[in-house]
Amino acid sequence: MAISCGVHAAEPGLILKTTKSLLPVPRGQAGSQEPLPVFIDAERISGVEDQYVEAEGKVVLRRRDESLAADWMRYNQPDDQLHAKGNVVLTRARTRVEGNELQLQLATHLGELRPMRFESQGEKGQYSRGDAAVLRFEGEDLYQLSTATYTSCPVGNEDWVLRTEDLKLDYIESVGTARNVRVEYLGTPILYTPWMDFALDDKRKTGFLTPSFGTSDKRGFEFAAPWYWNIAPNRDATITPHYMSKRGLQLGTEYRYLQRGYNGEINLDYLANDEVAERDRFFGRIRHSQQFNSRWSGNLNISRVSDDSYFTDLGGSVNQTSQVNLVQEGSLTYNGGWWNATGRAQTFQTLNTAPLFHRLPQITLNAARQQPGGYPVDVSFNGEYVRFTHSLNSHAEGDRAYAYPSVSLPFQTSYAYVTPKLGLHLTRYELERNPSGELERTRSLPIFSLDAGLQLERDWDFAGNSFIQTLEPRLYYVRIPYRNQSRLPVFDTGLRDASLYTLFSENQFAGIDRINDADQVTLALTSRFLDNQSGIERLQVTVGQRYYFSDQRVVLPGMTPRSADSSDILAVVSGQLTKQLRIASGLQYNADKDETTRFNLGAFYRDGPGRVLNADYRFTQGSIDQIDLSGQWPLAPKWYGLGRMNYSFRDDRIVEALAGFEYNAGCWSVRGLMQRLALTQTEASNAFFIQLELRELTKLGPNPLELLKRSIPGYAKSDEFNLP
């Protein structure tokens, strides 16, 4: 392609026109296909029209957002050849390429720059640099580098370097390939491969992912080498051979798909002949969600393991080892706007615990309308039909259906509200077996409630600060007559934990196999302190208690009826006390017995990224007495410590403990982490993780980041902030 130009000797600011980009840039970033002006500035410019242009002395060629500088430059129009020598510098956006001599045919984009050095700065501050003996232009968006190096360390720092004999960059296909690649860390080779390919953008690409390794006393030395398969733009799979020296070779697979209207994931992990358990072991899971149209949707969620001890032997987190029920269910939902219906089939695999009831099937119907037809009332309906089955003959089995229509009449002003509500709860049981009573039974219960409250506020100055203080009293009355329910089965009902939420609920039971008799009122008072300048809630205090006007008669099997005429006192205190410190606390206190039933106190300190301290104490009478401490804090320049300890005073043991460090050298970082995890009441697992991250290249070793984020609220990677 020829460049059209007119030339006059010693004429600065000569204008050329070309469609070609002068720099090695991705195809997606290349310039317009329309000819763009190219400006040349130099101390001396000469040439012959339609023959050549020659410039010397501080030569700068500019085209849109790129430029080429050199001591001397010549363009021959007949062969469309550009030749530059002496301090050749090409820049575009955040990329700078330097060399001694450049030869480039613009039309074919063929040529070479030797030797080559480059520096690049990403949009998010990522830095990289490298060099090569020769950079060859092999066509538009095709480049080859010989004897090349790459690093993200600053000039003068060679902490890590990637070296390759031959590197090809294809920005048309967004693929790079390299031969004889080795990575040197602190002068020592740590990785070598005779050949590799990689993506040049964020697009997914088939190939091996970074391997990981670690050790634990349950599994021994571990090594995993995941292979990623980019099947299609909307489908992929990851196949992970996972070697455990004490257990054997496990093969993990993950298949994902995403389509308009549906998506899902299929997982299967298989360990043939576990050398400790002496049996084959597996974990499988299917998750699928589908939106058929604007009304219909469906979900599938199925999980299963080979045996009860799978997670305690092969799991690596409390979330895994504490699993006791694996759900297998499918559902179909219709959304009618103000009403919806769902059909579900649900079973469970139970691990080391009693089996659960299965729902085969379950159909629910819920509806709510506010002021239908312009009437000043709200109406709602909840209904369900479910067939319960159980593997043990000692448990009831059969059908249960209920309907609960209700109507409420809300009155509201800017400072007060009153909402009376009246409903009728109808339940029907038709059972095939019921060890505790009748096979058929109908229950009807009228339910009346009244919810009322005030919203008062005032300006308040304290210690030189201006606040808005609110005062929010609330009254909630419930009336439900007594019905004898002792001969009804208990399929899915339990006693709700006491909380401010349950104080304002009609039924103290979770589920409908029992509906409490009630003649009771709840009184609560909330006060908030809002910063007048920022609106931040500096403090919130809520105290509430329920008062009973009659004795309790409806109970669960084995439950003792309530004898007191009031509930425990519940109190919650929380707030952002300072810019750094937030607290959250709750108390459940039994005034009759003068004892604390439940208590928690949490304090969370944030003084910017990397400066996090968390403390949380939890106590529940007869079951929990634990403290959870965690934090991330700078220890010295480039160093910070990581830690978490969850300790049970009741069991006198550590539930989970982490201790580790992270060192951030700028272009690389290293994380070391030790974990102790309670698997059962008598067993614990110890594991060690160490990960080396070479910034902008790869991570070597097991990835502890998810573990750190889960264990230390507020944790942030050291490369996401600058430690002092």
Side-chain angles (χ1 to χ4, degrees), residues 30 117 178 201 205 335 358 371 443 484 497 533 556 604 620:
R117 300 172 300 278
D201 52 24
K205 186 181 184 303
N335 186 348
H358 304 313
Q371 300 183 1
R443 179 187 62 193
N484 186 356
D497 289 334
Q533 300 297 320
L556 288 167
F604 313 96
T620 300

Side-chain angles (χ1 to χ4, degrees), residues 329-332 341-348 358-366 383-388 400 402 492 512:
E329 69 175 12
S331 64
L332 187 65
T342 298
R344 176 182 290 108
Q346 182 185 67
T347 65
F348 296 91
H358 304 313
R359 296 178 174 95
L360 296 170
Q362 178 189 26
I363 300 172
T364 61
L365 176 63
N366 299 290
E384 176 193 62
Y385 163 78
V386 58
R387 176 171 180 78
F388 291 99
R400 185 190 72 193
Y402 87 89
D492 57 0
I512 65 164

